[in-house]
Amino acid sequence: MNDKHILDLIENTTFNSLSESELNTIRLHTAECSSCQKAFAAASISSLLLKERTAEVFEPSPFFHTRVLAHLRERQAANETWAWHCIWRATAALASSMVATVAALAVLTFVIPDGPLSPDFAETSARNAYSAEEVILNPGDFDEQASDGSVLTTLYDAAEDGTK
Amino acid sequence: MELARLARAGDESAFEEIMRRYSPRVFRFASRFFNQRSLVEEAAQEVFLKAFTELGSFEGRGSMEGWLTRITTHTCLNLLRSAKRRPELTVSDLTENETTWLDSNMGEAAAERHKSSERSLVAADLAGRVLQTLSPDDQLVLTLIDGEDNSVKEVVEMTGWSESKVKVQAFRARRRMREAVEKLLGHKPSAAART
């Protein structure tokens, strides 16, 4: 065993749990092997350091609980503020999109001029000599002008177009 | 369990009672990882804030103590990971007290625990400095197994690691800690040279 280094032995388990036979093996080997002797000394000091480290214990201060509760309230308040912020942002986005839609519709209705009419629609309009807007906005002006003949012509022309 | 249910429902006094009951244990546990009161308090505070948030996940199958211990382990590990790891500790970084402590604990004398509280503080501080040169996982496993004499199974429960991971981690951590200490002993000038 003396030619076998003892590093695995001291690293495989805690220093305090080494059995008497294992300690004897270590002593026999370290008497002849200086590198293992240093390693064993370092391992024993490591063990001692760790014991000292864990022996030091702190107790909670008298105000610890109060401080944690205060942090908790702060965090909850921050979360609530964040939730309101999110709702406000969502509402603002919805409102602005609605305004944008209304503005777009207004522009399309009142500002952008009518585009070129299809040939069929232009022909019908020319024949009737009045527009839909005129009929709606000034219904009285057209009551007398629209004769029975023109109504029948318009209706039959539309039916013929449909059958074609 | 009743306290947990009440606290989950938003009863602040129930949560305060949980803190009163378990804070000494959380502090004791966190003290194994940090050698400054402020860091221990910070860790304990983080543990209870997390516990409050995660009360919904506590189903009461295990003990609240065990549940809080797991949260403490993970919190301390995360804090250790976020802390800057110190570079290698050399003998020139040691204080006079630490060098004296190493001198007096060389060889067979290391087996005897010294009783002086001042010397214990020096040792605890030195241990902290040596541990800070190791990885957080190494620190955790060394503190729990070699420092606290917890079994591998207990560490498995606390960390959620596999048994083989705990064993391998402990083996490697012991080697790294020994090498760090050996370096300090090997390069340490003799007492006569220093005086």
Side-chain angles (χ1 to χ4, degrees):
Chain A
M1 183 68 188
N2 276 5
D3 58 341
K4 194 179 172 188
H5 294 292
I6 46 90
L7 293 182
D8 280 354
L9 200 59
I10 57 175
E11 283 161 3
N12 229 352
T13 182
T14 60
F15 194 79
N16 291 339
S17 63
L18 288 170
S19 67
E20 197 53 43
S21 67
E22 286 170 331
L23 284 170
N24 277 337
T25 309
I26 289 168
R27 280 192 202 105
L28 280 172
H29 180 77
T30 51
E32 295 167 6
C33 177
S34 65
S35 65
C36 282
Q37 191 180 19
K38 279 182 190 169
F40 182 64
S44 66
I45 285 183
S46 298
S47 168
L48 194 56
L49 284 173
L50 288 167
K51 290 286 171 199
E52 291 297 352
R53 172 63 186 274
T54 49
E56 195 181 27
V57 173
F58 295 103
E59 292 295 325
S61 63
F63 304 109
F64 174 73
H65 309 117
T66 316
R67 204 162 48 242
V68 174
L69 286 176
H71 268 276
L72 207 57
R73 284 187 206 116
E74 257 176 42
R75 202 175 269 194
Q76 282 173 332
N79 284 346
E80 275 172 26
T81 311
W82 174 245
W84 277 113
H85 183 67
C86 286
I87 291 170
W88 173 245
R89 281 179 66 181
T91 311
L94 186 65
S96 57
S97 68
M98 285 169 75
V99 167
T101 309
V102 168
L105 285 171
V107 166
L108 286 171
T109 310
F110 298 111
V111 178
I112 296 179
D114 292 340
L117 296 172
S118 67
D120 289 348
F121 187 77
E123 192 186 330
T124 311
S125 296
R127 199 178 296 150
N128 291 338
Y130 51 81
S131 67
E133 286 87 351
E134 284 173 314
V135 173
I136 292 165
L137 296 171
N138 305 307
D141 297 350
F142 298 97
D143 284 348
E144 294 168 5
Q145 292 173 12
S147 64
D148 292 344
S150 66
V151 169
L152 286 170
T153 309
T154 307
L155 285 172
Y156 283 116
D157 280 355
E160 278 173 17
D161 288 344
T163 52
K164 278 177 194 173
Chain B
M1 187 62 197
E2 180 63 15
L3 277 176
R5 193 184 60 76
L6 288 170
R8 205 181 307 150
D11 187 340
E12 209 174 73
S13 61
F15 188 67
E16 197 173 356
E17 181 56 30
I18 290 174
M19 274 199 291
R20 274 189 213 293
R21 278 192 201 176
Y22 299 105
S23 60
R25 181 176 168 81
V26 169
F27 263 75
R28 199 165 61 242
F29 201 83
S31 301
R32 296 165 189 166
F33 302 100
F34 307 102
N35 57 353
Q36 285 173 37
R37 165 170 276 284
S38 59
L39 291 175
V40 173
E41 283 225 6
E42 189 190 327
Q45 181 174 298
E46 197 54 39
V47 167
F48 283 109
L49 291 176
K50 251 187 215 171
F52 186 81
T53 318
E54 291 172 17
L55 265 172
S57 69
F58 176 65
E59 293 164 346
R61 285 179 197 158
S63 68
M64 175 155 274
E65 196 172 292
W67 182 67
L68 280 171
T69 304
R70 269 194 301 282
I71 294 180
T72 312
T73 309
H74 288 125
T75 305
C76 290
L77 198 55
N78 286 339
L79 286 171
L80 285 174
R81 281 177 182 150
S82 63
K84 200 179 170 188
R85 200 168 143 188
R86 282 196 184 174
E88 190 184 43
L89 187 67
T90 61
V91 73
S92 59
D93 300 320
L94 298 181
T95 64
E96 187 67 32
N97 284 342
E98 286 168 343
T99 320
T100 312
W101 187 91
L102 278 176
D103 271 342
S104 60
N105 285 284
M106 284 275 284
E108 290 295 318
E112 292 174 19
R113 296 283 298 271
H114 48 87
K115 301 295 177 197
S116 156
S117 60
E118 193 188 344
R119 283 163 61 84
S120 291
L121 282 176
V122 171
D125 191 46
L126 178 60
R129 294 176 69 193
V130 174
L131 280 171
Q132 276 177 341
T133 64
L134 307 179
S135 74
D137 288 2
D138 283 352
Q139 292 181 47
L140 179 82
V141 82
L142 280 174
T143 312
L144 291 178
I145 296 181
D146 291 48
E148 278 280 315
D149 291 329
N150 285 298
S151 68
V152 171
K153 273 188 181 171
E154 283 170 324
V155 177
V156 166
E157 278 173 25
M158 287 177 200
T159 56
W161 295 349
S162 68
E163 198 171 319
S164 56
K165 177 177 174 165
V166 173
K167 283 180 183 170
V168 171
Q169 191 78 44
F171 181 82
R172 290 180 180 159
R174 275 185 208 114
R175 172 165 294 178
R176 286 190 271 263
M177 172 101 182
R178 178 184 58 73
E179 283 170 354
V181 173
E182 205 175 331
K183 208 164 274 182
L184 289 178
L185 297 175
H187 294 106
K188 188 173 64 64
S190 69
R194 278 199 312 277
T195 50

